[in-house]
Amino acid sequence: MSVLTKLIEQAKNPRGFVGASMLCIMNAAHTNMTRWALSNVKINGHANVLDIGCGGGKTIHTLSKMNQDGKIYGIDYSKQAVENSIKLNKKDIDLGKVLIKQASVSAMPFSNDFFDIITAFQTHYFWPNLENDVKEVFRVLTSNGYFIIAAELYKINYHMRKFKTKEDIEKLLKETGFSNVVFHEYRGSICIIARK
Ligand SMILES: C[S@@+](CC[C@H](N)C(=O)[O-])C[C@H]1O[C@@H](n2cnc3c(N)ncnc32)[C@H](O)[C@@H]1O
């Protein structure tokens, strides 16, 4: 396996010491994109928010600051990512404000219509079956809730075979049941906001 393939595997499913180090690097490297993506939405202070593919946990930390009286949940299917995220958010976890679980986007351990906002940053291009996984997101999102995807365009182009274009992803989201889909672009990144 080439070094590049190994690094991509670690970004997709971080494991062990290398994975833990990559999660710290991703926390720093994705900060600007995350801030920009979140600047496109308004979060009322009492929202139930879920971050899917939470990685090193920085987005959860940012969301917790933005959502003073709400609750932030994070999931990631990587054990290492869950460990790193728990470490970074320990204070808010102890306060009962943040909850982080190991789970896949394909079968989330949450009831229907639970979250007001769901974020997925630099992760959807790794999901195993986007049609099914978007349906799962729709299921746990409350009526009028927002699903926010953000990613660098070159990663979408590199990793995805289907749903690379705005037209295709908009069609998928609308066919799933989302009523409104809006796109923002900034410095090589895209932010897609879909309303249930
Ligand atoms: C490139 S990292 C991005 C992490 C974080 N969102 C960020 O912006 O820094 C991708 C993350 O998505 C997670 N991931 C990939 N496929 C997933 C799936 N099917 N279900 C849950 N998490 C997944 C990986 O384990 C990894 O932590």
Side-chain angles (χ1 to χ4, degrees), residues 170-187:
E170 179 167 9
K171 189 165 176 274
L172 169 66
L173 290 163
K174 291 234 170 113
E175 280 175 3
T176 306
F178 286 93
S179 62
N180 189 34
V181 180
V182 175
F183 294 89
H184 301 274
E185 268 185 65
Y186 177 70
R187 294 191 174 177

Side-chain angles (χ1 to χ4, degrees), residues 2 8 13 113 123 141 158:
S2 73
I8 290 172
N13 188 356
D113 309 309
T123 185
L141 194 62
Y158 184 84

Side-chain angles (χ1 to χ4, degrees), residues 40-41 146-149 180-184 191-195:
N40 293 310
V41 280
Y146 290 97
F147 175 35
I148 308 161
I149 296 173
N180 189 34
V181 180
V182 175
F183 294 89
H184 301 274
C191 174
I192 307 163
I193 304 183
R195 185 169 195 179

Side-chain angles (χ1 to χ4, degrees), residues 11-14 23 26-27 30 33-34 51-56 59 75-78 81 103-106 121-123 125-128 133:
K12 186 176 179 182
N13 188 356
L23 287 162
M26 287 193 281
N27 271 348
H30 300 162
M33 197 205 69
T34 300
D51 184 39
I52 302 175
C54 59
T59 301
I75 63 154
D76 200 297
Y77 71 174
S78 149
S104 164
V105 64
S106 309
F121 295 166
Q122 300 278 52
T123 185
Y125 44 74
F126 288 135
W127 294 356
D133 299 336

Side-chain angles (χ1 to χ4, degrees), residues 102-174:
Q102 186 177 5
S104 164
V105 64
S106 309
M108 293 191 276
F110 303 114
S111 50
N112 296 355
D113 309 309
F114 189 71
F115 294 103
D116 303 296
I117 293 181
I118 298 181
T119 54
F121 295 166
Q122 300 278 52
T123 185
H124 81 290
Y125 44 74
F126 288 135
W127 294 356
N129 178 340
L130 202 61
E131 290 104 317
N132 172 68
D133 299 336
V134 164
K135 274 189 200 143
E136 182 63 356
V137 170
F138 190 83
R139 178 185 72 75
V140 299
L141 194 62
T142 194
S143 176
N144 290 317
Y146 290 97
F147 175 35
I148 308 161
I149 296 173
E152 287 160 295
L153 287 162
Y154 82 91
K155 290 189 181 158
I156 290 177
N157 285 328
Y158 184 84
H159 293 293
M160 295 180 86
R161 301 275 81 81
K162 288 162 80 186
F163 309 116
K164 287 184 192 206
T165 66
K166 282 185 191 171
E167 292 73 22
D168 288 349
I169 191 98
E170 179 167 9
K171 189 165 176 274
L172 169 66
L173 290 163
K174 291 234 170 113

